[in-house]
Amino acid sequence: MNKTIQWVSFVLAAVAINIPAFLLASFTLFGTSEGTSIFSIDYAVAALIVILANGSIAALFLAINRNYARGFFYALVASVAEAICLYIVLVTFNMNVLLITGIVIVINIVLLIYIITSTKAKPVMHKQS
Amino acid sequence: MKDNHDMDQLFNFDHKEKDLITSAKRKSTWRMTWISGLVSVLILTLVVLIKLQLTPWLLDREIIAQEFYYEVHGANTFVGLWDESIRLIGSSAKAPRYKLVQGQPVYRGDVTNDSSPVEVHVSADPLQAYDYYGNKMMQFIHPQTASSDVPNDLFGMDAMLDNTIIEMGVSFNDAYSLDSVRRMLPEGLDLQWVWVDAFPVIEEEEAFEMILTENEVIGYPLIDETGKEIMDPIEHFMDVLEIGKDRGGRYKQEIASIQAAMHETRTLDETTKNVIGAVVIGDKEALRNLRNDPMVRATSVGAIVHPVIGKGEMENE
């Protein structure tokens, strides 16, 4: 698949996932009092939500970088599924949908690990003397 | 030998082998088409999701800008709750615009997120203006206007029913302080909104040879959108201007210039002489007391209501 299309889909997936991810993370900071250190539990929970949500984005990035076409396809499907789940959670705040979103995020983390282990990084080109 | 026979078959491109290649090409094309189609659908899904999440944010910005406009403009005019309609194409938001006459709302049309505040009114007589809904619009005259041709609806309201509650736009002959206006008002009249002088200082009087309608004047209310009295209306007005010059959207610059005009006077409180008009509410009897008031230069009727439930007295047992 064309590299440009792959990177465009990467950017779209990143935006579509991070908008609800950051909003949900900010909801967890709702009860945090002003002046709380950024290294507190509240901020750690918010950061964890954002990091976990970006698992599929990381998988997408690696698949594109390592020219792994099948991995790109799987990661794109996973990203879209996660984006849809996050949007529904944001709109409905339904616990069942939240559970499904959690399962999707776990699957995406597994996919990320799969892509990392099944592909190698691009070899570094050394200049010949 | 069998191996040679297999080798011969491998390199023998007869009709059967051509079918194989054609079939392989067809399958490859079908697979590419299917994958491309699926990727297109996935990308389209992402675009739709982004649109659905960005639209409310963009719509809210426009709504806030409209609310700031009507907080500053519009004599005794309030904006109700917004009804948002989020769609893929053509999202919009609408809210009712209304006046408050002794706590009773009077509908004055709708405001949308992208509607222009410029309102066209109909008037065969320049001193009597109406909107397209048939509502009478108040008119205001700046104290520096030289013309003697001003609306005087105070003298034309005798034909109205006795229990009619009238919204009257009053233009003063000079700038007064809020304190003075409150002391001047006769008993039985409610002061709901004041017109402040936010015009730049100019020498020529010809620039004010115009009659302003209620949607063009700038001022602040003394009651909130539910009819409850605001404790510190001037501070509330200055807060609105301060926030509005950042979040007023397309009206940011206008709100900033109004704030600059307000800050030309060193102090801004209830003793500052910048009130050049007001909106008062009362019945005919109470309004008649304004007739001989030297401060009053022009009066213009706005909304009229007939109370649904009268203020009856409890019977003693």
Side-chain angles (χ1 to χ4, degrees), chain B residues 227-238:
Chain B
K228 196 177 159 192
E229 192 180 330
I230 296 174
M231 293 313 295
D232 198 338
I234 294 177
E235 189 180 329
H236 176 78
F237 179 58
M238 297 312 292

Side-chain angles (χ1 to χ4, degrees), chain A residues 10 53-66 68 70-76 78-79 82 107-116 119:
Chain A
F10 166 77
N54 278 282
S56 59
I57 303 299
L60 206 55
F61 179 82
L62 281 172
I64 295 171
N65 232 18
R66 296 180 180 184
Y68 186 18
R70 185 170 289 192
F72 164 78
F73 185 74
Y74 292 152
L76 185 62
S79 302
E82 186 183 331
I107 292 172
N108 291 347
I109 302 293
V110 169
L111 179 65
L112 172 64
I113 296 167
Y114 168 73
I115 289 176
I116 290 171
T119 59

Side-chain angles (χ1 to χ4, degrees), chain A residues 1 5 9 12-13 15-16 19-20 73 76-77 80 83-84 87, chain B residues 34-36 38-39 42-43 45-47 49-50 52-54 86:
Chain A
M1 179 154 288
I5 293 173
S9 59
L12 289 174
V15 172
I19 290 177
F73 185 74
L76 185 62
V77 170
V80 172
I84 291 171
Y87 176 71
Chain B
W34 190 82
I35 290 173
S36 299
L38 191 60
V39 169
L42 292 171
I43 290 176
T45 306
L46 288 173
V47 170
L49 283 171
I50 292 171
L52 287 174
Q53 288 175 93
L54 283 182
I86 307 294

Side-chain angles (χ1 to χ4, degrees), chain B residues 160-166 282-284 304-307:
Chain B
M160 295 184 191
L161 295 173
D162 286 341
N163 67 342
T164 307
I165 305 299
I166 303 162
D283 58 17
K284 278 196 313 186
I304 298 167
V305 301
H306 302 284

Side-chain angles (χ1 to χ4, degrees), chain A residues 5 7-8 11 22-23 25-26 32-34 37 58 63 87 91 99 102 116 121 125:
Chain A
I5 293 173
W7 285 118
V8 165
V11 169
F22 273 93
L23 279 171
S26 66
T32 308
S33 54
E34 208 174 309
S37 169
Y87 176 71
V91 170
L99 190 66
I116 290 171
M125 301 295 291

